[in-house]
Amino acid sequence: MAYDLTLHKKSIQRHALRQLDFFRHPHLAKKMEMEKLLTACENISVDGFKNLKYSDTKSGGKSIYKISSFEHELVLRLISRSLVRLTGSKQNNRKIIVNRLKVMLQEGVSFKVFKYDISSFYESVNVSELLTDLGKDRGFSNSHYTLLESFFAQLASLNINGLPRGMAISAVMAEYAMRRFDDKASERETLFFYERFVDDIIVITNPKEMSTDLGKLFRNNLPYGLSLNTKKTKKYEFVEKALPDNIDEEIHNDFDFLGYSFTVTKRQNRKKNLPTDRRVTVDISKSKTKKIKTKLVKSCLAYCDDGDFDAFHDRVKLLSGNYSIYDRGRRVNRKAGIYYNYSLVDGAKSISLKELDLFLKTMVLSSQGKVFSRLNPKLSSAQKRLLLKLSFVDGFQKKIFNNFPSKRLVTLMECWKYE
């Protein structure tokens, strides 16, 4: 049976609509309203994106865009699925990358690790060249190509350059733009390991690899308009020489990648003349730990404003535990949370999990600071006890699972969205 992704009512219903859409747009339960939406989607094949509506917010100094006109969002979802299916352009799996990196770092040989970051990745992609390449790809639908031309022409008229962050179509098209770069980098004989996740690149190389040569290779093969952020370029050297027998363990290097921190010890040598693996401890990165703390603080502020303790308690449960959300497109329940988002962390050795528990305890009991001084008098002793029963360490190690209806999840997460 053919996998039909052409733009018509049935394909939109089957491949673009999601379970959460019905919570955000409850009127779609009415047949007449659904028919009206699907007709609007079909009309885009004629009208293009001339009536596109969007909202934008700031996060980390970057603009994050969200399509406000629902029919346009659905059409872009369909095009994204078509692009992934027909060209194979999709983001690599973060968990697989991290697991492979950990295994490579354990090797008891000499090597170098290089980390690179692409400057303003989404904003700098040359959309005109990207569309030209896509137009030559025989696997991609002509009708979808025409719709993309209309979409980016409308963005240009609104002074939005490059690929708009926050939109699913941007992530898929960014991967398509980088496909030749990835192929060229992977061909280099001195690279033992190469991975890229969006704008973050990490490689493990022969110990003789020169940073100037590698940097030149990457710069010369980046798509037009993109450049490396030299301030974020990092190099770490690992030597084969083992520790003396009388020293148990010594840290060789530590660095962050994809939300994880990697602490790598020097090579052990318990049996002479035999290489022994290094020990690699994986934890939640400092930046991700900080983001979780920020969400806890935002949860405090929401409670101070609305007095809804049940929502406050559920938000802390959500952050410190695990939950699932139904993916209507793939008809599966996706698991998320402190364990499922960071399942490769060594829970027994994690400093970050203990740090989060200490922060939670301080948040509940302290009366110091702008936020906690507001929170403390609003909490009863019983409410404090309920909050102190929650634990990031337990949530991770015991895989504590909380069941929240999809509509409740949307409500709880709303206060975390913006800076």
Side-chain angles (χ1 to χ4, degrees):
M1 182 178 176
Y3 197 86
D4 186 5
L5 288 168
T6 53
L7 178 52
H8 56 73
K9 294 177 182 179
K10 284 186 178 180
S11 62
I12 290 290
Q13 270 192 299
R14 180 171 293 180
H15 303 300
L17 277 168
R18 302 169 182 164
Q19 186 70 29
L20 280 178
D21 294 332
F22 293 90
F23 292 112
R24 294 188 175 114
H25 308 278
H27 63 279
L28 294 179
K30 297 178 181 179
K31 188 176 181 179
M32 185 183 299
E33 293 295 329
M34 175 63 76
E35 183 65 21
K36 183 179 176 181
L37 172 66
L38 296 176
T39 299
C41 290
E42 280 193 328
N43 289 340
I44 293 172
S45 63
V46 177
D47 300 333
F49 285 81
K50 64 183 180 181
N51 297 315
L52 179 71
K53 297 177 183 177
Y54 71 95
S55 61
D56 65 294
T57 56
K58 292 287 185 181
S59 179
K62 304 285 187 182
S63 292
I64 308 296
Y65 298 92
K66 181 181 179 182
I67 299 290
S68 303
S69 40
F70 190 40
E71 64 273 19
H72 290 127
E73 181 183 346
L74 291 177
V75 171
L76 286 172
R77 285 183 196 171
L78 192 70
I79 296 172
S80 295
R81 293 198 68 169
S82 174
L83 189 57
V84 169
R85 186 168 182 82
L86 297 175
T87 69
S89 299
K90 61 180 181 179
Q91 286 182 354
N92 291 331
N93 185 292
R94 171 174 166 265
K95 185 175 179 180
I96 292 174
I97 293 173
V98 171
N99 199 40
R100 287 186 62 213
L101 177 59
K102 179 181 178 181
V103 171
M104 290 295 295
L105 292 171
Q106 290 171 339
E107 292 292 329
V109 296
S110 296
F111 55 78
K112 291 179 182 178
V113 173
F114 293 89
K115 283 175 56 188
Y116 296 93
D117 175 87
I118 301 174
S119 299
S120 300
F121 183 38
Y122 284 102
E123 294 81 1
S124 300
V125 169
N126 187 305
V127 172
S128 178
E129 285 203 356
L130 180 54
L131 286 174
T132 299
D133 275 356
L134 195 53
K136 296 175 183 177
D137 196 316
R138 294 181 180 179
F140 193 61
S141 160
N142 287 334
S143 60
H144 285 178
Y145 175 80
T146 300
L147 285 169
L148 280 180
E149 278 191 314
S150 169
F151 174 64
F152 284 106
Q154 183 65 16
L155 291 181
S157 72
L158 297 169
N159 294 316
I160 299 174
N161 299 313
L163 299 172
R165 287 178 185 267
M167 296 185 190
I169 189 70
S170 297
V172 177
M173 292 193 71
E175 293 307 306
Y176 185 81
M178 292 293 290
R179 70 201 186 287
R180 292 196 187 101
F181 175 87
D182 293 335
D183 290 343
K184 196 69 178 178
S186 299
E187 289 172 0
R188 191 171 179 86
E189 292 182 356
T190 54
L191 267 62
F192 304 148
F193 176 89
Y194 166 84
E195 288 290 354
R196 179 186 58 80
F197 190 83
V198 191
D199 53 358
D200 290 313
I201 300 168
I202 192 163
V203 295
I204 297 178
T205 75
N206 182 302
K208 296 181 180 180
E209 178 68 77
M210 301 297 292
S211 57
T212 51
D213 294 340
L214 191 57
K216 183 179 179 181
L217 170 74
F218 286 173
R219 285 191 298 273
N220 289 346
N221 286 283
L222 279 170
Y224 182 76
L226 298 183
S227 61
L228 296 177
N229 185 341
T230 54
K231 292 181 180 179
K232 291 187 177 181
T233 299
K234 303 290 183 183
K235 179 181 75 173
Y236 307 89
E237 297 191 47
F238 294 82
V239 296
E240 188 174 357
K241 184 178 179 181
L243 286 168
D245 288 341
N246 63 332
I247 298 179
D248 182 51
E249 188 170 282
E250 185 177 322
I251 293 175
H252 200 156
N253 279 303
D254 65 279
F255 59 87
D256 290 350
F257 190 66
L258 298 188
Y260 286 96
S261 69
F262 297 82
T263 302
V264 188
T265 66
K266 291 187 177 179
R267 187 168 71 84
Q268 308 287 306
N269 191 8
R270 292 293 169 251
K271 294 181 180 179
K272 291 183 178 180
N273 301 320
L274 291 176
T276 306
D277 288 349
R278 297 178 173 91
R279 292 179 187 172
V280 180
T281 302
V282 180
D283 205 345
I284 305 173
S285 70
K286 290 180 180 178
S287 62
K288 292 295 183 183
T289 302
K290 183 179 179 181
K291 285 185 178 180
I292 295 172
K293 289 179 180 178
T294 299
K295 288 181 178 180
L296 285 170
V297 171
K298 287 183 177 182
S299 301
C300 286
L301 293 171
Y303 171 63
C304 290
D305 290 338
D306 63 25
D308 187 344
F309 179 76
D310 287 341
F312 181 33
H313 186 243
D314 281 352
R315 287 184 177 111
V316 180
K317 283 172 67 177
L318 200 58
L319 290 169
S320 62
N322 303 281
Y323 58 95
S324 68
I325 189 164
Y326 184 68
D327 185 333
R328 185 182 178 87
R330 291 177 173 79
R331 296 178 176 83
V332 295
N333 280 310
R334 295 196 175 279
K335 294 178 179 178
I338 196 66
Y339 173 78
Y340 292 100
N341 290 353
Y342 302 100
S343 59
L344 297 179
V345 163
D346 186 338
K349 296 181 179 180
S350 173
I351 295 172
S352 295
L353 291 171
K354 293 174 183 175
E355 183 181 327
L356 287 168
D357 273 351
L358 179 61
F359 187 84
L360 174 58
K361 184 177 180 180
T362 303
M363 179 183 83
V364 175
L365 299 178
S366 175
S367 58
Q368 305 297 313
K370 286 169 98 175
V371 178
F372 299 164
S373 60
R374 285 183 63 194
L375 174 67
N376 192 274
K378 291 181 179 291
L379 292 173
S380 67
S381 297
Q383 289 172 333
K384 289 179 181 179
R385 285 195 295 272
L386 277 174
L387 290 167
L388 291 173
K389 286 181 180 179
L390 302 175
S391 163
F392 286 88
V393 170
D394 288 347
F396 183 92
Q397 293 183 346
K398 298 177 182 178
K399 300 180 188 176
I400 293 173
F401 205 87
N402 301 298
N403 289 311
F404 293 104
S406 297
K407 192 173 183 179
R408 181 66 168 169
L409 283 174
V410 172
T411 302
L412 294 175
M413 294 177 176
E414 199 67 34
C415 78
W416 301 337
K417 283 187 176 179
Y418 310 117
E419 292 184 343

